[in-house]
Amino acid sequence: MAINYKQCPKCGSKNTLKIFYGMPTREVFLKAEAGGIKLGGCSIIVGGPEYYCKDCESEWNKEQAVDAAYDKIKGLKASVGGYFEGYYNVDINLSTLQVSWSHLVGGEEDTIERKLRSTTAKKFIEELKLVNLLNWKAKYLEPDVLDGTQWSVEIIRDGRNIIKHGSNKFPNEWGTFCKIIRRITGKSFL
């Protein structure tokens, strides 16, 4: 999992606490006094903050943590293919709004480059949230199949890049992800 809900989206600190709502028990009260949790009050606030940063005093919920994690994405490199169908490669740079697509099969390569609109780039990030890309497992492997289809996705971010890959096995959202790539490139992506 790439989304750390407990990491402060404002300052990046991991010196954070879970916020407890409702009437605290004695144990919860003692834990709060010891600095293990933060009391949020007796009223439960739907969509309210769930975490508190001890360093910058910021508060946030899981949805805000998801938004912050996807806002760090600066680009994406993806490839998919196999021996008989060839290989598709896509490089999407959200900083320069450039997209390149290529398909290599039988020694021949077809390529295109496009410029994105900023609204298209924002929609692309929203679509990546819908397929839950950051929470895909790192590896999807089907050990009993030789050759077949291999794929990889490298998520370019502020900080550390994230790589997901597979061989003959895919996340449940793979088909939707391929449609998103087709829309943004205007070309097939297996």
Side-chain angles (χ1 to χ4, degrees):
M1 174 169 25
I3 300 174
N4 183 352
Y5 299 107
K6 295 178 183 178
Q7 184 173 355
C8 179
K10 185 175 179 183
C11 74
S13 173
K14 293 182 182 175
N15 187 18
T16 61
L17 299 174
K18 180 93 171 117
I19 298 175
F20 176 85
Y21 291 96
M23 184 61 80
T25 63
R26 179 171 167 22
E27 292 80 25
V28 169
F29 198 68
L30 291 173
K31 191 173 181 180
E33 281 187 338
I37 60 171
K38 181 178 185 330
L39 297 178
C42 292
S43 299
I44 297 173
I45 303 167
V46 176
E50 299 173 56
Y51 302 97
Y52 170 80
C53 179
K54 291 166 108 178
D55 294 336
C56 74
E57 299 182 356
S58 178
E59 294 181 343
W60 67 96
N61 60 28
K62 286 183 179 179
E63 185 177 322
Q64 291 166 319
V66 168
D67 289 342
Y70 280 91
D71 285 345
K72 290 181 181 178
I73 296 176
K74 300 301 174 199
L76 185 126
K77 293 181 182 184
S79 67
V80 63
Y83 181 75
F84 295 107
E85 289 103 20
Y87 288 89
Y88 294 90
N89 293 295
V90 173
D91 188 349
I92 302 167
N93 186 324
L94 297 173
S95 299
T96 63
L97 300 175
Q98 290 291 125
V99 174
S100 65
W101 170 95
S102 67
H103 181 229
L104 178 64
V105 64
E108 294 190 24
E109 186 173 23
D110 184 18
T111 63
I112 64 135
E113 289 194 11
R114 297 179 58 180
K115 186 89 170 156
L116 292 176
R117 293 185 188 137
S118 59
T119 54
T120 304
K122 287 178 186 171
K123 184 178 178 187
F124 177 66
I125 292 295
E126 290 303 315
E127 290 175 326
L128 294 180
K129 285 182 197 176
L130 292 176
V131 297
N132 202 21
L133 179 67
L134 289 175
N135 284 324
W136 287 3
K137 294 187 292 187
K139 292 187 233 179
Y140 291 82
L141 304 174
E142 183 60 57
D144 298 328
V145 178
L146 299 176
D147 295 328
T149 303
Q150 286 72 46
W151 64 272
S152 70
V153 176
E154 181 177 5
I155 303 160
I156 313 299
R157 304 182 334 146
D158 284 341
R160 172 181 68 87
N161 292 349
I162 300 169
I163 297 174
K164 317 280 186 175
H165 66 93
S167 179
N168 303 305
K169 193 171 184 180
F170 306 89
N172 292 336
E173 304 87 355
W174 180 255
T176 305
F177 174 77
C178 290
K179 287 177 186 175
I180 293 167
I181 297 298
R182 274 194 294 268
R183 275 197 301 274
I184 205 162
T185 63
K187 294 289 203 171
S188 284
F189 191 74
L190 200 58

